Amino acid sequence: MKTTHVLEIAAVDLVYDVRGPLPTADGLPPLMMIGQPMDATGFRALADRFPDRTVVTYDPRGLGRSKRKDDRIDHTPSTQAEDVHEVIAALGAGPVEMFASSGGAVTALALVAAHPGDVTTLVAHEPPMLPLLPDAAAAERAFAEVRDAYQAKGFGAGMAAFLVMTSWQGEFTEDYFAQPAADPAMFGMPTEDDGSRDDPLLSDRSRAVSGYHPDIAALAAAPTRVVIAVGEETGNTLTARTSHAAAALLGQQATVFPSHHGGFMDGEFGYPGQPDAFARTLREVLSAAR
């Protein structure tokens, strides 16, 4: 059974969902799943594959159901980490196990650095942290071109540019920048400008997420077991490269999970992953730490 809760703090009303009992029935920590800019809806398929666990999902501030009260529009890992810390405290069930994906993995790394007692095991799946790359300046230039396309022509143009950028294999060379502008129609995207300029993925609002550099010393000192994960189909694209770079800084190799960047999802949100296989691997990784 899923119950929905609202945690009212000064700057935001945080909405989170709990599937299963608290305290947990199996004696294991709650399993928390977080993303960014994805909200709780993106974890439905994965949560459904853990019917025996108490699973917690939430909407980050300003996204989905979590309404901001501070009139800000930016998304920063440190602020979101404090939000997750507040949710974990509200659960009243001790530290959690955590699966965090994409920008959520960045938030989770910031959380462990700031509040190392909150998480027993963190599986950080493909955190997109550009400063870790050897071609960080070129990667930021590529991201800037996505933002420019979005600002100039709206969602379709911006998302097409984003898809071209995130599917590029290897470092961002001059060959990448010499390509013609991405055609939204080739990706099934709208060609008309929808007028929006507030998308958290395509605008500057989440720049602090992709620009985050983790506190490696704090992560190494934390009691949390941190596992950096990468999809087997992600190849040598941006988030694969940032994952391998993060793992290397932590003195480990990235743990390979099935499928791609959204491999834990079914076909509800586009290109389907392999949620059954993904969930099995996540179970294995979590149980190995106990």
Side-chain angles (χ1 to χ4, degrees):
M1 180 180 69
K2 182 176 77 172
T3 57
T4 298
H5 308 261
V6 180
L7 177 60
E8 298 183 11
I9 58 178
V12 63
D13 292 338
L14 293 169
V15 179
Y16 64 96
D17 302 311
V18 180
R19 295 170 171 84
L22 286 174
T24 63
D26 54 9
L28 295 175
L31 173 56
M32 192 168 187
M33 301 176 179
I34 68 172
Q36 203 281 333
M38 185 176 69
D39 61 24
T41 59
F43 291 103
R44 180 201 54 76
L46 187 59
D48 284 350
R49 285 157 175 82
F50 285 86
D52 55 320
R53 295 289 304 271
T54 295
V55 175
V56 181
T57 56
Y58 96 121
D59 291 354
R61 66 167 58 198
L63 301 172
R65 301 160 296 173
S66 292
K67 305 304 181 185
R68 302 184 77 146
K69 298 180 286 189
D70 58 1
D71 297 324
R72 295 178 66 101
I73 60 173
D74 59 324
H75 303 279
T76 64
S78 58
T79 301
Q80 291 185 341
E82 292 304 315
D83 289 345
V84 176
H85 171 68
E86 294 286 350
V87 172
I88 292 171
L91 296 176
V96 302
E97 293 182 331
M98 182 172 288
F99 171 73
S101 186
S102 194
V106 178
T107 295
L109 292 169
L111 170 69
V112 170
H115 300 285
D118 280 1
V119 184
T120 58
T121 296
L122 164 63
V123 179
H125 181 248
E126 301 198 5
M129 299 180 290
L130 302 191
L132 305 188
L133 297 175
D135 59 326
E140 179 54 44
R141 178 184 169 192
F143 248 110
E145 289 193 354
V146 172
R147 293 190 290 263
D148 289 347
Y150 178 58
Q151 289 298 320
K153 298 182 179 180
F155 177 80
M159 183 55 72
F162 179 81
L163 292 173
V164 169
M165 181 195 68
T166 55
S167 63
W168 182 260
Q169 298 286 334
E171 296 190 6
F172 292 102
T173 63
E174 288 306 316
D175 287 341
Y176 172 84
F177 296 107
Q179 298 177 105
D183 180 2
M186 292 188 64
F187 296 94
M189 299 291 170
T191 57
E192 298 296 321
D193 189 340
D194 65 351
S196 72
R197 297 295 187 271
D198 59 355
D199 188 280
L201 185 66
L202 304 176
S203 68
D204 269 332
R205 297 185 176 199
S206 300
R207 190 167 187 171
V209 177
S210 60
Y212 182 75
H213 194 296
D215 186 337
I216 299 301
L219 293 172
T224 306
R225 177 179 176 238
V226 178
V227 177
I228 305 296
V230 65
E232 63 182 350
E233 297 176 19
T234 309
N236 197 30
T237 60
L238 176 69
T239 53
R241 296 195 298 122
T242 56
S243 299
H244 289 298
L249 286 176
L250 291 171
Q252 60 181 260
Q253 291 187 334
T255 299
V256 178
F257 269 62
S259 199
H260 48 73
H261 189 67
F264 51 92
M265 294 186 282
D266 53 22
E268 184 178 359
F269 298 101
Y271 183 56
Q274 301 175 32
D276 289 333
F278 199 101
R280 286 195 296 270
T281 301
L282 181 56
R283 283 183 183 276
E284 293 168 0
V285 171
L286 293 174
S287 63
R290 301 187 197 116

